[in-house]
Amino acid sequence: MNRVQGKVVLLSGAGSDLIQACARALIKEGARVVLADPAEERAGRAAGAFDAKTALPLAVDPAKESDWQRAIEMTIGTFGRFDAFVSGPPPLVSRRLRDWSLTDWKAFEDAHILGPWLGMKYAMMELRKINGGAVVLISTTLARNARIDTAANSAAAGALKPMAQAAALECGVKADGTRINSILIDPTHPPAVEGVPGAVVYFVSNESTYMTGTEIVIDGSPVAA
Amino acid sequence: MGRLDGKVAMITGATSGIGRATAIAFAREGAKVVVGGLPAETKGGGITVSAIEQQGGEATFVTQDVRNEDDWRRVIAAVVERYGRLDVLYNNAGEAIMKPIEQLTVEHFYFQMQTNLEGVFLGLKHGVPAIERSGGGSVINMSSATGLKGSANGTTSYCASKGGITGITKVAALEGRASKVRVNSVHPGIIWGPGMIESLGPDGAAKFRERMLAKVPLHRVGDPTDIVQIMLFLASDESRHVTGAEFIIDGGYVIA
């Protein structure tokens, strides 16, 4: 019941069932959470499921740098500390590559590559002040196990994994004690949600202090991504 | 008889380095080559075209910013108008920004994503239909060893852009299956080129080389000819059963 006792975790994509389940698991193990979503109303609904003392809703436009800076400030301002950032996965958009307009493509990239990068950047800059901070990027297995009509999601999935490793190496070079890991899920099967909250708790907790730049694959498949 | 006889190949950023070396090799093997490059790289494009013409080959330089969709429409139309077909598209153009994350700005990030990932996206979007109309062919996307595994040299945005190419390549391969358009990615490790000295300076480049060598099991840095060999294979019909695959040419960097 206290695997992440006292820790404060910022989660993005809070409007989704997956992140909601992650927040529930973290709170159950003693954490307090900030639930960020681009839509204020969805963030509010997500936080409404929990005690106001343990969950704060926050509207964060993932492509807006100042929103991320504010999110970290609000997290510390409200709960007095900041221990981990968890980024929600890119959603599945089923569309043939050639049917993507450049405008839509850029918007997807902004939300699901730039957004996690910005969140990670400002989280890293704050987490280096403590020892034992964690960043968890949830992504999908699509960069390895491809599916038709998933170009944008696969591009994001391909981007996030080495990006997380590069960031983990930067933290390692500075020996600042921050771990950065990925969780890769199968985006097409709701049962993939099973196990993800547990993996998030593990990566946020001190149980994973010797793990960084790695990924846990949770897709119910015997073939590793 | 050349390995690429009768084929028309378009290479973006073929105005120097690996792009130029590949263009010259493609032409030597019988392909007609369209050399793409930014307006500011016209001189380099001219050098590539002259080298090809001197060996008796055929090539054309076209100005192109891979980030610009109108440029892609114009260039693909020009290729088809001039040569009647497109068989091979090699999305080679790319840039590298290396800065620790706290110094990396949103503008840096956008530049990296636009040049590398969006350039490939637009190439696939506009190039694949032209290759389909020619009865199928090959797209080669330049990713990187860092498109598979992070590196510690301030590469968060570079890794994101190259990793994106790793991902999009496989989807394009699946989507091209019915029309026989094969799509593969190439992942070089450290390749010694003029760009390395340009961006890091002679001393910086030497230090970087020394540092990287320690991480390469074969203990050598690659040169453009290491990449050219894979490009010839992927452009030719020798690779007719190969699609959605990753070709890692890195002296073992990724496994180390």
Side-chain angles (χ1 to χ4, degrees), chain A residues 143-211:
Chain A
R144 303 287 301 181
N145 303 330
R147 282 191 203 164
I148 204 154
D149 297 345
T150 65
N153 189 289
S154 297
L160 294 174
K161 193 185 108 169
M163 182 182 97
Q165 289 175 327
L169 285 161
E170 279 189 32
C171 294
V173 167
K174 293 200 165 73
D176 70 5
T178 305
R179 293 121 51 220
I180 302 185
N181 292 289
S182 297
I183 297 172
L184 309 184
I185 63 171
D186 177 339
T188 59
H189 294 295
V193 169
E194 287 174 25
V196 177
V200 166
V201 170
Y202 175 68
F203 275 142
V204 169
S205 80
N206 297 339
E207 297 157 22
S208 60
T209 43
Y210 205 54
M211 278 181 88

Side-chain angles (χ1 to χ4, degrees), chain B residues 17-107:
Chain B
I18 294 170
R20 173 185 290 158
T22 307
I24 294 169
F26 278 12
R28 194 184 301 128
E29 292 296 338
K32 296 184 176 74
V33 182
V34 180
V35 173
L38 289 166
E41 298 164 347
T42 300
K43 195 176 157 208
I47 294 171
T48 306
V49 170
S50 309
I52 288 171
E53 286 171 348
Q54 271 166 27
Q55 63 183 20
E58 180 159 356
T60 310
F61 175 69
V62 290
T63 59
Q64 178 195 29
D65 182 337
V66 294
R67 300 171 294 179
N68 184 315
E69 187 160 22
D70 285 338
D71 274 16
W72 271 107
R73 289 193 185 97
R74 172 177 56 77
V75 163
I76 296 292
V79 171
V80 173
E81 193 187 306
R82 184 173 171 103
Y83 293 119
R85 57 188 298 118
L86 179 64
D87 302 281
V88 178
L89 170 63
Y90 168 18
N91 286 308
N92 166 69
E95 296 276 357
I97 297 176
M98 298 192 181
K99 278 180 195 299
I101 199 164
E102 64 270 20
Q103 290 170 26
L104 208 54
T105 65
V106 170
E107 288 69 31

Side-chain angles (χ1 to χ4, degrees), chain A residues 38-218:
Chain A
E40 190 164 14
E41 181 253 327
R42 276 208 308 263
R45 204 160 355 108
F50 307 111
D51 183 334
K53 289 195 202 78
T54 58
L56 173 77
L58 204 59
V60 173
D61 176 348
K64 218 167 137 193
E65 189 166 15
S66 55
D67 275 20
W68 285 109
Q69 289 169 299
R70 185 172 152 269
I72 306 284
E73 281 166 23
M74 289 283 288
T75 301
I76 295 169
T78 305
F79 293 125
R81 56 187 279 178
F82 171 57
D83 298 276
F85 167 57
V86 177
S87 169
L92 197 60
V93 177
S94 188
R95 190 182 300 167
R96 216 158 60 132
L97 193 151
R98 70 187 62 177
D99 295 334
W100 277 89
S101 70
L102 185 56
T103 309
D104 284 357
W105 181 271
K106 281 174 182 286
F108 191 94
E109 241 180 43
D110 275 2
H112 304 294
I113 305 178
L114 175 67
W117 178 77
L118 275 174
M120 181 176 75
K121 169 176 169 162
Y122 286 101
M124 280 167 73
M125 287 164 67
E126 189 62 35
L127 290 173
R128 71 172 50 140
K129 297 175 190 165
I130 62 168
N131 188 32
V135 173
V136 185
L137 301 186
I138 306 178
S139 182
T140 73
T141 54
L142 282 173
R144 303 287 301 181
N145 303 330
R147 282 191 203 164
I148 204 154
D149 297 345
T150 65
N153 189 289
S154 297
L160 294 174
K161 193 185 108 169
M163 182 182 97
Q165 289 175 327
L169 285 161
E170 279 189 32
C171 294
V173 167
K174 293 200 165 73
D176 70 5
T178 305
R179 293 121 51 220
I180 302 185
N181 292 289
S182 297
I183 297 172
L184 309 184
I185 63 171
D186 177 339
T188 59
H189 294 295
V193 169
E194 287 174 25
V196 177
V200 166
V201 170
Y202 175 68
F203 275 142
V204 169
S205 80
N206 297 339
E207 297 157 22
S208 60
T209 43
Y210 205 54
M211 278 181 88
T212 193
T214 69
E215 62 263 354
I216 291 183
V217 179
I218 302 175

Side-chain angles (χ1 to χ4, degrees), chain B residues 88-159:
Chain B
V88 178
L89 170 63
Y90 168 18
N91 286 308
N92 166 69
E95 296 276 357
I97 297 176
M98 298 192 181
K99 278 180 195 299
I101 199 164
E102 64 270 20
Q103 290 170 26
L104 208 54
T105 65
V106 170
E107 288 69 31
H108 290 134
F109 195 91
Y110 273 131
F111 175 74
Q112 198 70 98
M113 297 306 278
Q114 286 169 358
T115 312
N116 296 353
L117 180 55
E118 289 171 27
V120 170
F121 162 71
L122 290 172
L124 287 165
K125 180 173 169 166
H126 295 283
V128 169
I131 298 174
E132 275 177 11
R133 288 191 290 275
S134 306
S138 172
V139 180
I140 309 164
N141 292 330
M142 194 61 142
S143 179
S144 163
T146 60
L148 297 170
K149 179 184 158 184
S151 101
N153 301 296
T155 56
T156 51
S157 68
Y158 186 70
C159 284

